[in-house]
């Protein structure tokens, strides 16, 4: 009974809810015409009710909403901005590319401006009073040649001397034909090979050097010129292994004393280095020509006029200088900018006016030489062995 009563209660609730959704009740005696007239009268009364005017804040909010809608419609019709740049004012891909290029140029300019100083090594000044810088090497040839022409001559000279003492010539070639650091690294590596053989003469593994070994190739051959010739001169022989690889093998009958002597030659050898030829020359100033010395080089009028390209470069330089002054920089950054490009000349031309004023002695010196070298040069050129060696040099500013 209890369950049946609960079920009946739920059914009554459902029925009431269903009737409540149907709407207001109607009289059964009313016709459909009367019902339609009552609905029209209710609609007319609601329509005749006056609408309140919006407040000032509501009007401003509505205007802002309309403006947002108009902007949204305009953005749909306009070219779509490139990803991530909405609101930056860039509408097309060309604009974006131009901005990116400008940023790259500014970044590179900042790197160049505040990077480490660039060292430029030059043999001499652009306007030369001599034909060039020459060197001499009496051991090889009596000629006086530029530096780049001496290396093939020295290589040929050492190759011709290989038949007399091949180990010594190869050691000198290693020191001469390679940079100093590479030659020293090669000599240290070969010393390890040879010392292992001398310390363990019966060990076969120390008498074999695999030519394909990475360390051997990076430090000895082919990294260092004439290194293989030195090992062959020490008694090593080139042989092919069972796997097809090439080896340098020191035979059992090799003379270990000669091997030790060859190693000593390599460790104590010095390279053949050409010496600077001073190219001493005597210049004579004819009477009355002192005033015309400064006007010896005649330049055309257009030499002093700037081309449009030069004017544009000058304008860019001034603009960069103005931008640099506006930037906040540390003392170190300003120092780097001042020393961004330093010139270091390797050689210089020295002229000494001799007593009397008519003769000038000229010679080429290395830029690293001292004033004592000029005194020594003058003693060798101007004074006899029996003459007094006391003299003074006066600088152009009378010091």
């Amino acid at each position: 009974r209890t369950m049946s009563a609960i079920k009946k209660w739920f059914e009554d609730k459902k029925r009431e809810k269903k009737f409540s959704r149907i709407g207001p009740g109607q009289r059964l005696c009313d016709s459909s015409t009367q019902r339609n007239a009552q609905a029209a009268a209710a609609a007319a009364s609601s329509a005749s009710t006056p609408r309140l005017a919006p407040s000032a804040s509501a009007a401003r909010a509505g205007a802002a909403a309309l403006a947002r809608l108009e902007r949204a419609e305009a953005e749909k019709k306009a070219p779509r901005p490139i990803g991530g740049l909405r609101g930056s004012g860039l509408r097309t891909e060309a604009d974006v590319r131009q901005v990116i290029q400008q940023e790259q140029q500014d970044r590179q300019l900042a790197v160049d401006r505040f990077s480490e100083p660039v060292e430029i090594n030059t043999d001499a000044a652009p306007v030369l009073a001599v034909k060039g810088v020459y060197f001499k090497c009496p051991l090889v040839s009596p000629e006086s040649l530029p530096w780049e022409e001496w290396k093939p001559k020295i290589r040929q000279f050492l190759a011709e001397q290989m038949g007399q003492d091949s180990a010594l010539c190869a050691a000198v070639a290693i020191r001469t034909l390679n940079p100093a650091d590479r030659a020293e690294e090669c000599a240290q590596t070969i010393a390890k090979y040879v010392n292992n053989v001398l310390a363990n003469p019966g060990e076969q593994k120390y008498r074999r050097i695999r030519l394909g070994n990475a360390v051997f190739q990076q430090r000895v051959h082919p990294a260092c010129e004439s290194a293989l010739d030195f090992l062959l001169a020490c008694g090593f022989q080139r042989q092919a292994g069972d796997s097809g690889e090439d080896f340098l093998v020191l035979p059992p009958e090799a003379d270990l004393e000669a091997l030790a002597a060859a190693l000593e030659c390599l460790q104590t050898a010095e390279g053949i280095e050409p010496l600077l030829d001073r190219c001493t020359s005597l210049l004579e100033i004819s009477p009355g020509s002192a005033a015309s010395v400064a006007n010896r080089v005649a330049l055309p009028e257009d030499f002093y006029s700037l081309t449009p390209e030069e004017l544009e470069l000058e304008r860019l330089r001034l603009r960069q200088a103005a931008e640099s002054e506006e930037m906040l920089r540390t003392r170190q950054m300003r120092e780097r900018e001042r020393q961004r490009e330093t010139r270091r000349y390797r050689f210089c031309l020295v002229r000494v006016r001799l007593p009397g004023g008519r003769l000038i002695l000229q010679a080429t010196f290395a830029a690293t030489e001292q004033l004592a070298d000029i005194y020594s040069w003058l003693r060798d050129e101007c004074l006899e062995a029996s003459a007094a060696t006391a003299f003074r040099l006066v600088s152009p500013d009378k010091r």
Side-chain angles (χ1 to χ4, degrees):
R1 291 180 182 177
T2 305
M3 290 299 299
S4 59
I6 294 174
K7 289 182 180 180
K8 185 177 181 301
W9 182 79
F10 271 111
E11 289 177 359
D12 293 341
K13 291 294 182 182
K14 289 180 181 180
R15 197 179 297 113
E16 292 176 2
K17 190 174 183 179
K18 181 178 180 181
F19 277 114
S20 65
R21 292 176 180 175
I22 295 176
Q26 299 178 3
R27 293 181 182 180
L28 296 178
C29 60
D30 292 340
S31 62
S32 60
T33 305
Q34 291 177 344
R35 290 195 298 268
N36 293 337
Q38 291 176 358
S45 63
S46 63
S48 61
T49 304
R51 217 178 154 187
L52 297 176
S55 61
S57 60
R60 288 195 299 269
L66 290 176
R68 285 196 297 270
L69 290 175
E70 291 176 358
R71 285 198 301 269
E73 293 295 331
E75 288 182 359
K76 290 181 181 179
K77 297 179 181 180
R80 191 174 183 181
I82 308 301
L85 297 179
R86 182 182 296 274
S88 62
L90 303 178
R91 297 296 181 184
T92 63
E93 187 175 355
D95 296 338
V96 176
R97 189 181 299 111
Q98 183 178 1
V99 170
I100 292 175
Q101 291 177 355
Q102 184 64 35
E103 290 179 352
Q104 291 177 349
Q105 293 176 1
D106 295 343
R107 192 180 300 111
Q108 185 63 36
L109 179 62
V111 171
D112 294 341
R113 184 177 299 166
F114 301 114
S115 60
E116 292 293 334
V118 179
E119 182 176 307
I120 301 177
N121 290 307
T122 55
D123 286 345
V127 181
L128 295 176
V130 292
K131 294 182 179 180
V133 180
Y134 295 89
F135 297 83
K136 56 185 178 181
C137 187
L139 180 64
V140 178
S141 172
E143 300 174 286
S144 180
L145 302 171
W147 178 268
E148 58 273 8
E149 296 183 16
W150 271 115
K151 190 170 183 178
K153 281 187 170 293
I154 294 175
R155 181 184 290 108
Q156 181 182 358
F157 170 78
L158 293 173
E160 294 173 354
Q161 305 300 319
M162 280 289 185
Q164 302 179 9
D165 192 341
S166 54
L168 176 60
C169 291
V172 174
I174 290 175
R175 299 290 184 177
T176 303
L177 304 178
N178 300 282
D181 54 346
R182 188 180 302 173
E184 183 61 28
E185 186 180 41
C186 174
Q188 292 177 1
T189 306
I190 292 177
K192 292 181 180 179
Y193 292 138
V194 175
N195 287 328
N196 285 335
V197 174
L198 297 177
N200 306 278
E203 291 287 344
Q204 185 63 27
K205 64 178 181 179
Y206 293 123
R207 292 174 172 262
R208 289 165 56 90
I209 303 174
R210 186 165 60 89
L211 294 179
N213 182 274
V215 176
F216 181 84
Q217 292 182 348
Q218 293 174 2
R219 299 182 180 181
V220 182
H221 177 75
C224 194
E225 188 174 352
S226 299
L228 183 60
D229 295 335
F230 177 80
L231 291 173
L232 294 177
C234 290
F236 284 88
Q237 299 176 2
R238 191 164 185 168
Q239 297 180 4
D242 298 335
S243 59
E245 288 187 294
D246 290 341
F247 290 83
L248 289 178
V249 181
L250 187 66
E253 64 274 10
D255 188 356
L256 298 183
E257 293 183 0
L259 181 63
L263 177 60
E264 186 179 359
C265 287
L266 178 62
Q267 293 175 334
T268 59
E270 296 182 359
I272 300 176
E273 186 173 356
L275 302 176
L276 177 65
D277 189 357
R278 301 215 182 274
C279 299
T280 302
S281 57
L282 189 64
L283 309 178
E284 183 178 5
I285 301 178
S286 58
S289 64
S292 61
V293 171
N295 300 324
R296 190 172 299 170
V297 179
L299 297 175
E301 291 297 331
D302 57 358
F303 180 83
Y304 301 97
S305 60
L306 296 178
T307 63
E309 292 80 8
E310 292 173 334
L311 289 174
E312 179 65 19
L313 290 176
E314 181 65 16
R315 186 186 68 81
L316 292 176
R317 187 188 67 80
L318 293 176
R319 189 184 72 178
Q320 292 177 3
E323 293 176 355
S324 176
E325 292 298 328
E326 295 176 358
M327 295 179 62
L328 294 177
R329 296 169 295 164
T330 63
R331 180 182 301 177
Q332 186 178 10
M333 294 169 67
R334 291 194 296 268
E335 185 66 22
R336 284 182 180 179
E337 187 174 1
R338 281 195 296 268
Q339 299 179 356
R340 187 165 59 91
E341 182 178 308
T342 60
R343 293 187 177 272
R344 181 173 298 173
Y345 292 105
R346 298 173 56 198
F347 306 99
C348 61
L349 197 65
V350 174
R351 286 177 175 174
V352 177
R353 186 187 296 268
L354 300 180
R358 291 185 54 187
L359 297 179
I360 293 179
L361 202 60
Q362 173 181 286
T364 303
F365 284 80
T368 55
E369 292 189 74
Q370 304 295 323
L371 186 61
D373 297 309
I374 298 180
Y375 277 93
S376 177
W377 163 67
L378 287 173
R379 290 190 184 97
D380 295 339
E381 296 292 340
C382 301
L383 302 177
E384 298 180 357
S386 59
T389 58
F391 61 90
R392 292 188 302 169
L393 292 178
V394 181
S395 63
D397 57 353
K398 307 303 180 184
R399 290 187 297 162

